[in-house]
Amino acid sequence: MANVNIISEEREISTKGAVNSLRKEGKVPGVLYSKGVEPISFTTTLIALRPIVYTKEMRLVNLKINDKEAITCILKDIQFDPVSDKIIHVDFLAITAGQKIEVQVPVSLIGQSVGIKEGGQIQQHLHKLEVECLPKNIPDHLEIDITELNIGDSVHIRDLSFDNITLTNTDDTLVVAIAAPKAEEEETATEEVVDGDDGEAPQPEVIGEKKEDEGSEG
């Protein structure tokens, strides 16, 4: 797994206005969490964060705060501005060799399924899987081979297994499925409406027509 070096400056916990001023300067506030240690607040730049945010691969971060020794960590959480979609806050989690850690690892689908070749549509419900493992075993991504999936087939967490890691999502969590073509789905839906209990499609209500149970005005 690739490492990314990030330079940052320690900061004092301040007001919302002060934080907004930092963001206007192109800086991003963040917090480093470490087990048994008080969190450290810091600021870094948007440019520095790009290699770990805009990627489909897992990255280890060497976070250097001021002149202190760099701390190995991972991206724990990230917040985006709902309007501009800019990064406005990050959380890092320090890791220690020999201690298991829980992380989210990107999913990479490989192969072209039989169902897709027959016109099916792929539906990926999860793009990251929750994993528990030692830091040295954190993968760049997790590959799922969908070659043998037919239309109607799906993959759940219970169907997956990887070396040296434990998946912590619930067993019945759906990861990916191959759905029927849209035209076929619409045809099935139409048949369900027509083939009702009385064999007739519901009739629209006529505007101005009075229902038997409604009384007249006045």
Side-chain angles (χ1 to χ4, degrees):
M1 179 167 43
N3 287 43
V4 176
N5 298 320
I6 292 182
I7 304 298
S8 66
E9 298 178 356
E10 190 168 0
R11 66 180 175 89
E12 296 291 335
I13 298 177
S14 55
T15 63
K16 184 177 180 180
V19 171
N20 287 334
S21 295
L22 288 173
R23 290 170 179 154
K24 290 179 180 178
E25 296 173 6
K27 297 181 180 180
V28 181
V31 178
L32 171 66
Y33 295 92
S34 304
K35 188 175 182 180
V37 180
E38 285 295 319
I40 302 175
S41 298
F42 65 87
T43 58
T44 187
T45 64
L46 287 168
I47 294 176
L49 294 171
R50 285 177 181 171
I52 64 170
V53 175
Y54 303 108
T55 177
K56 294 182 179 180
E57 303 292 325
M58 191 71 185
R59 295 284 185 264
L60 282 180
V61 175
N62 297 320
L63 181 66
K64 188 172 179 60
I65 302 177
N66 294 347
D67 296 327
K68 300 177 183 177
E69 184 178 351
I71 300 172
T72 303
C73 53
I74 59 170
L75 181 63
K76 179 183 178 183
D77 191 27
I78 184 167
Q79 296 177 24
F80 295 90
D81 184 279
V83 177
S84 66
D85 206 33
K86 285 185 178 179
I87 304 168
I88 59 174
H89 191 275
V90 290
D91 287 334
F92 287 120
L93 178 63
I95 61 177
T96 303
Q99 291 184 358
K100 287 188 175 182
I101 189 172
E102 291 188 3
V103 296
Q104 290 187 331
V105 179
V107 171
S108 177
L109 303 181
I110 60 174
Q112 185 174 8
S113 79
V114 177
I116 292 178
K117 292 178 181 179
E118 295 177 352
Q121 297 179 328
I122 188 169
Q123 296 180 339
Q124 186 172 351
H125 295 262
L126 283 185
H127 292 271
K128 291 184 179 181
L129 300 185
E130 296 176 5
V131 167
E132 182 182 52
C133 64
L134 293 172
K136 66 178 183 180
N137 294 328
I138 300 175
D140 292 335
H141 59 267
L142 294 172
E143 293 185 348
I144 299 178
D145 191 346
I146 62 171
T147 305
E148 301 300 323
L149 295 185
N150 286 291
I151 294 176
D153 288 344
S154 58
V155 175
H156 294 76
I157 291 295
R158 60 175 173 268
D159 303 316
L160 302 173
S161 178
F162 302 95
D163 294 336
N164 302 316
I165 67 173
T166 300
L167 299 178
T168 58
N169 299 86
T170 56
D171 287 346
D172 59 349
T173 301
L174 178 61
V175 181
V176 62
I178 306 299
K182 281 188 176 180
E184 184 176 326
E185 291 179 350
E186 292 172 356
E187 183 179 344
T188 302
T190 302
E191 290 176 354
E192 290 177 353
V193 172
V194 174
D195 297 336
D197 293 338
D198 56 2
E200 296 181 359
Q203 298 297 317
E205 182 178 344
V206 178
I207 297 176
E209 181 180 12
K210 294 184 178 180
K211 297 181 180 179
E212 295 181 1
D213 58 349
E214 291 180 346
S216 57
E217 294 182 359

